[in-house]
Amino acid sequence: MNKIVSILDSMEYGPAPEDDAVVRAWMARHKARFGHFIAGAFTRPGKANSFAAVNPATGETLAEVAEGGEKDVDAAVEAATKAFKSWSALSGTARARHLYALARQVQKHARFLAVLETLDNGKPIRETRDIDVPLVARHFYHHAGWAELRDQEFPDHAPVGVCGQIIPWNFPLLMLAWKVAPALAAGCTVVLKSAEHTPLSALAFAEICREAGLPAGVFNLVNGGGATGAALAAHDGLAKLAFTGSTEVGRVLRRQSAGTRKKLSLELGGKSPFIVFDNADLDAAIEGVVDAIWFNQGEVCCAGSRAIVQEGVAEKFHARLKARMETLRVGAPLDKSTDIGAVVAPVQIEQIRARVEAGLREGAVLHQPSWADEHFVRATKGGCFFPPSLFTDVSPASPLVQEEIFGPVLVSMTFRTPGEAVALANNSRYGLAASIWSQNLDTAFDAARKVKAGVVWINSTNMFDAAVGFGGYKESGFGREGGREGMFEYLLPAWQKRARALPESPPLAAPVPVDDEAGPGAAPAGLDRTVKLYVGGKQARPDSGYSYPVLDGRGRLITEAGHGNRKDIRNAVEAARKAEAWSAMTGHARAQVLYFLAENLELRAAEFAARIARMTGVAAKKAAAEVEASVARLIHYAARADKYDGRVRAPQPRMLALALPEPYEVIGISCPDEAPLLAFVSLVAPAIAMGNRVVVTPSQHHPLAACDLYQVLDTSDVPGGVVNIVTGDRDQLASVMAKHNDIAACWYVGSAEGSAMVEAESAGNLKATWVNDGKARDWFDAGQGQGEEFLFHATRIKSIWTPFGV
Ligand code: NAI
Ligand code: MG
């Protein structure tokens, strides 16, 4: 038969392979052996300690790559440390020029980089060419801008220092760009550890740095696997650690870096919901699923891997989805008409298979395209290919629904009401992304606000841009990459580099039983009765039945305060959880409460000042100044309450992305002894101004100023449960808060040991932490005691993408 006629007959695709000659020539130039890139030069690849870079589509070894050990990591950190001095001293414009040069150079080598990435990772050339590499260039351009603007946009900030960055294999070059670009823009230098399955594009980038004239030591690359990553993460020459990868390793790094003063950002796993309402454009949603779970073979941290479909359209939706699955093409990644390429490595295929088999054993129903038969298995032998897969009849608690599969496997559930959809969506330890499909804006935005996730795509999915922050809620990690919010990960308020150590807070005196029954009259002459805790808007006896003595400036007993324990914190968290109406209020409404608080505190200024003077022994004038400053601080955050409200970005022609600062909901706060009223107010006011509810341990030695606030809180219309105060041993209570699963963030101001403890113990649910590492802060100073730093830590950015006119 005539060939053309036969093609028209079957409408089969012909082969359309991308040429890989340029990449082959590049590898030949390097004799297919690579060292590390340290201080502007490649190290000589030794014979020992190397690993193979493999093409997962064929099993072919592409190159041998040196595996870094401690010595290599040391050398790289040393190079980065040396380079930091001059790099951070460059003008913003000079650094911007370097970033711009990198962007240009990436564009110049775009096709080469796309082919190289496809060979090493297995992802389709269509994706590396049209998505990964253009986004890499975009990241460097965007951050050239932040380099230029750093001093205007982030006044009084300094680069954190040398950064260790560890990236995964699913978007090797893009993850490099997400990490390296903001670091260099801020004025930091970098040691990057690429992923063991995909070392090559980072090596090509190292070469680009050399070509582009980036000063030696600004970007350093060490190749290797988990052990190399662990050596880098543990290096004490780092000021910052940025990690993208599994939640498991993220948790290890959280524990290990605790107390090291390394700033940490974690971008971890996900099991992101893909919600389809019955009024969605179903055809668009079906194409959305293709992008959500079959983009990059489903090896995407934010993959829409949990479809949640409204009952009325579920049957239709699944039927159309199955029909669409028939037309997906799995095969040679370099073929321009391939939709799904190879999974990164045999170990990943094994993991996907194991999870799928476990799902089958549980009784879930698996659907794969009819072509995924023995013929497919034979034809793809030798490569890591897995067909697109759909599971239905799954139970919400099943591992299929709860665990990240990190492959082309979708699970699908149904719901009846919007409330049920949100509940199912949030029934996950993860909170990275969500995709919401509805033609009704009201429905879509309502769900977008209620879903606990760092990125929400309305009627779209898997959209990325350098200007739009990306990062998680819950166990998907903390910190953002991209946008203004991402720059903060690489900056510090400049004064913090010079901060002195906080004086030690001596241990509390031994607790004594509360003699509450005897009533106030029974207290020794001149003593107040035991001060209670404040939980859910009511005074509460400490569960322990113990109190501890509160002494005055000269060591004489003033009164006793409740010795709070684990149970008291639990009660306080429960009260805080119930006070969710506070988070849903407008900034305006919260501002009014804060103004009222300020007013009522001011009315009792003399009394508070006397209390502070007596407790701490400071002069009356200083005590009066502390009350005055506390009133001013409340007014400051009343002013801010309705103004720290996010940004709008237009990353694409028919797309807006809203960067909304959302409260953490429940924050645990541990206050220092210094400035017992002002520090308390300086921490609590920004947290509640942003809509959080708080559980606070006031100054352990001088708790009375906070306890005197109970009545002020009552008379100022602060709803019960918004501010809960548990007096007692700061570090004991901080430990309970750090471990509590219903607290999403912990702020701690105290000792270096206490800071380390909070960081380590927060690893359970990976809460965001903000600790002082034992350093002092001048609470009276407006630059240190208030401002954007506080609001930034009081919120997490949710990026909501919403298309229009499409
Ligand atoms: P991984 O978390 O082990 O690897 C990510 C990076 O961390 C790699 O560069 C690796 O070498 C490094 N690393 C591993 N152990 C380390 C340690 N102890 N200290 C410092 N660095 C370390 O992820 P892996 O093993 O590649 O994949 C396992 C699973 O993790 C996947 O099946 C997937 O579920 C998930 N994953 C999630 C990613 C995400 O972006 N959310 C990315 C990669 C994997
Ligand atoms: Mg590979």
Side-chain angles (χ1 to χ4, degrees):
M1 202 198 285
N2 180 313
K3 203 160 167 244
I4 291 174
V5 170
S6 82
I7 288 173
L8 285 177
D9 225 24
S10 71
M11 287 302 275
E12 254 307 324
Y13 287 79
E18 175 74 31
D19 188 2
D20 62 2
V22 187
V23 170
R24 303 264 169 207
W26 175 75
M27 280 188 298
R29 254 198 330 277
H30 287 273
K31 303 199 173 61
R33 300 185 70 80
F34 294 89
H36 313 291
F37 184 72
I38 296 173
F42 284 100
T43 63
R44 276 169 67 112
K47 283 244 163 6
N49 298 340
S50 69
F51 62 99
V54 176
N55 176 350
T58 59
E60 174 202 11
T61 291
L62 298 165
E64 280 293 322
V65 179
E67 183 181 9
E70 270 177 36
K71 268 197 189 142
D72 305 299
V73 169
D74 280 347
V77 174
E78 195 188 319
T81 307
K82 253 191 212 149
F84 178 70
K85 221 171 154 193
S86 49
W87 178 252
S88 58
L90 283 184
S91 72
T93 305
R95 275 199 319 280
R97 283 173 183 275
H98 281 293
L99 280 148
Y100 170 71
L102 290 174
R104 293 283 300 147
Q105 211 62 13
V106 165
Q107 279 182 319
K108 219 163 100 185
H109 296 300
R111 191 55 65 95
F112 161 77
L113 291 169
V115 174
L116 180 65
E117 194 81 310
T118 285
L119 281 175
D120 199 8
N121 170 280
K123 61 170 76 191
I125 184 73
R126 212 157 40 86
E127 292 177 9
T128 52
R129 183 195 63 196
D130 299 346
I131 298 169
D132 296 52
V133 176
L135 274 173
V136 170
R138 160 85 182 126
H139 252 77
F140 282 102
Y141 275 115
H142 179 74
H143 286 89
W146 283 122
E148 169 73 26
L149 300 173
R150 188 197 75 189
D151 295 337
Q152 292 99 293
E153 289 284 328
F154 308 97
D156 306 316
H157 278 69
V160 278
V162 176
C163 303
Q165 306 185 318
I166 298 173
I167 55 171
W169 42 258
N170 54 345
F171 293 89
L173 193 60
L174 185 57
M175 289 303 101
L176 174 151
W178 281 24
K179 298 240 170 335
V180 172
L184 301 197
C188 299
T189 55
V190 165
V191 178
L192 181 96
K193 209 246 356 126
S194 55
E196 56 271 43
H197 297 309
T198 53
L200 297 181
S201 55
L203 287 158
F205 178 78
E207 217 171 64
I208 282 178
C209 288
R210 210 167 49 176
E211 276 173 20
L214 190 72
V218 171
F219 170 78
N220 304 275
L221 170 68
V222 181
N223 319 298
T228 313
L232 176 60
H235 202 290
D236 55 16
L238 304 180
K240 152 97 193 172
L241 185 59
F243 173 80
T244 298
S246 61
T247 292
E248 196 186 342
V249 174
R251 196 170 273 124
V252 168
L253 295 179
R254 167 69 293 180
R255 292 209 174 95
Q256 280 176 356
S257 68
T260 63
R261 300 191 182 167
K262 284 181 193 120
K263 212 173 146 104
L264 181 66
S265 51
L266 298 175
E267 199 269 275
L268 308 174
K271 191 79 185 180
S272 298
F274 186 98
I275 307 174
V276 183
F277 285 99
D278 59 8
N279 52 13
D281 173 343
L282 278 196
D283 288 326
I286 296 290
E287 285 316 301
V289 175
V290 173
D291 269 347
I293 189 66
W294 294 312
F295 168 57
N296 206 35
Q297 299 70 246
E299 300 165 313
V300 183
C301 49
C302 53
S305 50
R306 271 193 301 148
I308 300 176
V309 187
Q310 198 152 14
E311 254 180 27
V313 293
E315 207 172 306
K316 203 163 112 237
F317 179 81
H318 288 133
R320 287 197 206 174
L321 185 56
K322 287 172 184 172
R324 180 68 178 90
M325 286 167 76
E326 288 296 316
T327 66
L328 288 169
R329 294 169 53 82
V330 177
L334 275 181
D335 191 311
K336 281 170 263 192
S337 52
T338 286
D339 296 313
I340 303 176
V343 165
V344 74
V347 41
Q348 191 62 22
I349 279 276
E350 284 320 310
Q351 219 182 110
I352 296 168
R353 282 210 184 106
R355 284 173 183 159
V356 166
E357 276 157 23
L360 286 172
R361 279 198 300 277
E362 257 180 44
V365 176
L366 173 67
H367 176 83
Q368 290 176 333
S370 61
W371 50 257
D373 53 9
E374 286 134 51
H375 173 75
F376 169 78
V377 174
R378 246 179 290 121
T380 56
K381 211 168 160 58
C384 300
F385 294 95
F386 200 88
S389 305
L390 164 70
F391 268 111
T392 53
D393 300 85
V394 293
S395 90
S398 140
L400 268 185
V401 176
Q402 293 297 330
E403 307 295 331
E404 193 172 38
I405 298 176
F406 228 63
V409 184
L410 177 72
V411 298
S412 188
M413 294 174 287
T414 59
F415 70 92
R416 290 190 181 152
T417 63
E420 209 178 296
V422 169
L424 277 172
N426 286 338
N427 178 24
S428 168
R429 62 195 175 104
Y430 295 117
L432 191 50
S435 185
I436 296 168
W437 296 77
S438 167
Q439 288 305 104
N440 184 323
L441 258 188
D442 185 356
T443 306
F445 266 95
D446 188 48
R449 288 308 305 266
K450 287 178 178 153
V451 164
K452 305 255 181 287
V455 185
V456 180
W457 293 291
I458 291 177
N459 294 330
S460 55
T461 193
N462 274 339
M463 316 281 287
F464 310 99
D465 186 72
V468 184
F470 183 94
Y473 278 34
K474 302 199 276 187
E475 291 180 40
S476 292
F478 44 77
R480 293 291 177 268
E481 298 190 294
R484 182 183 157 81
E485 50 271 35
M487 284 300 293
F488 280 110
E489 298 298 329
Y490 293 94
L491 295 166
L492 273 183
W495 65 266
Q496 280 175 15
K497 294 208 164 183
R498 304 181 299 270
R500 56 180 178 80
L502 206 54
E504 221 172 285
S505 179
L508 292 185
V512 292
V514 176
D515 190 11
D516 198 59
E517 306 313 316
L527 291 194
D528 302 337
R529 69 194 175 98
T530 295
V531 174
K532 292 187 180 155
L533 318 179
Y534 186 69
V535 174
K538 294 193 181 69
Q539 300 200 25
R541 272 169 64 89
D543 169 75
S544 65
Y546 282 91
S547 59
Y548 68 98
V550 177
L551 310 179
D552 71 9
R554 293 203 226 143
R556 292 169 307 198
L557 186 68
I558 308 178
T559 183
E560 282 157 5
H563 198 267
N565 68 8
R566 178 181 306 270
K567 182 79 188 341
D568 298 310
I569 294 286
R570 281 213 298 262
N571 293 342
V573 173
E574 206 181 308
R577 273 181 59 89
K578 281 193 192 137
E580 60 193 356
W582 179 255
S583 301
M585 273 163 66
T586 62
H588 167 67
R590 288 195 294 263
Q592 281 175 291
V593 172
L594 283 159
Y595 280 123
F596 200 16
L597 250 178
E599 199 178 306
N600 286 325
L601 177 59
E602 194 161 42
L603 281 175
R604 293 175 54 185
E607 183 194 325
F608 271 82
R611 186 70 125 170
I612 291 170
R614 182 157 177 226
M615 270 193 310
T616 63
V618 299
K621 221 171 131 186
K622 178 99 201 253
E626 183 172 340
V627 181
E628 198 183 316
S630 302
V631 171
R633 200 128 292 165
L634 286 165
I635 292 171
H636 176 81
Y637 288 111
R640 292 272 203 167
D642 62 350
K643 293 172 191 67
Y644 193 70
D645 53 359
R647 280 154 201 262
V648 183
R649 285 142 186 169
Q652 285 177 21
R654 293 179 182 283
M655 186 65 82
L656 290 179
L658 317 180
L660 276 178
E662 288 195 339
Y664 280 96
E665 311 235 337
V666 181
I667 299 185
I669 301 179
S670 310
C671 299
D673 279 330
E674 291 64 27
L677 178 66
L678 180 58
F680 178 95
V681 168
S682 301
L683 292 163
V684 169
I688 64 173
M690 291 297 104
N692 298 285
R693 295 93 73 186
V694 296
V695 176
V696 201
T697 304
S699 156
Q700 56 178 2
H701 286 289
H702 315 304
L704 302 184
C707 300
D708 291 342
L709 279 174
Y710 297 170
Q711 288 126 21
V712 181
L713 291 165
D714 286 342
T715 52
S716 306
D717 298 341
V718 178
V722 172
V723 179
N724 303 279
I725 300 174
V726 180
T727 52
D729 184 292
R730 183 190 57 211
D731 287 7
Q732 269 175 23
L733 296 174
S735 160
V736 179
M737 292 198 272
K739 286 189 220 141
H740 201 299
N741 279 333
D742 286 332
I743 292 182
C746 267
W747 296 1
Y748 174 91
V749 186
S751 65
E753 298 74 38
S755 299
M757 177 271 293
V758 166
E759 288 183 332
E761 296 189 346
S762 68
N765 69 344
L766 285 162
K767 46 179 75 64
T769 56
W770 186 30
V771 303
N772 70 322
D773 295 316
K775 294 295 178 80
R777 179 187 288 267
D778 181 355
W779 297 101
F780 287 87
D781 180 277
Q784 297 186 18
Q786 73 182 26
E788 186 172 0
E789 189 190 4
F790 290 79
L791 300 168
F792 181 77
H793 286 287
T795 52
R796 43 191 170 181
I797 296 289
K798 176 185 268 180
S799 298
I800 302 180
W801 294 67
T802 172
F804 55 89
V806 285

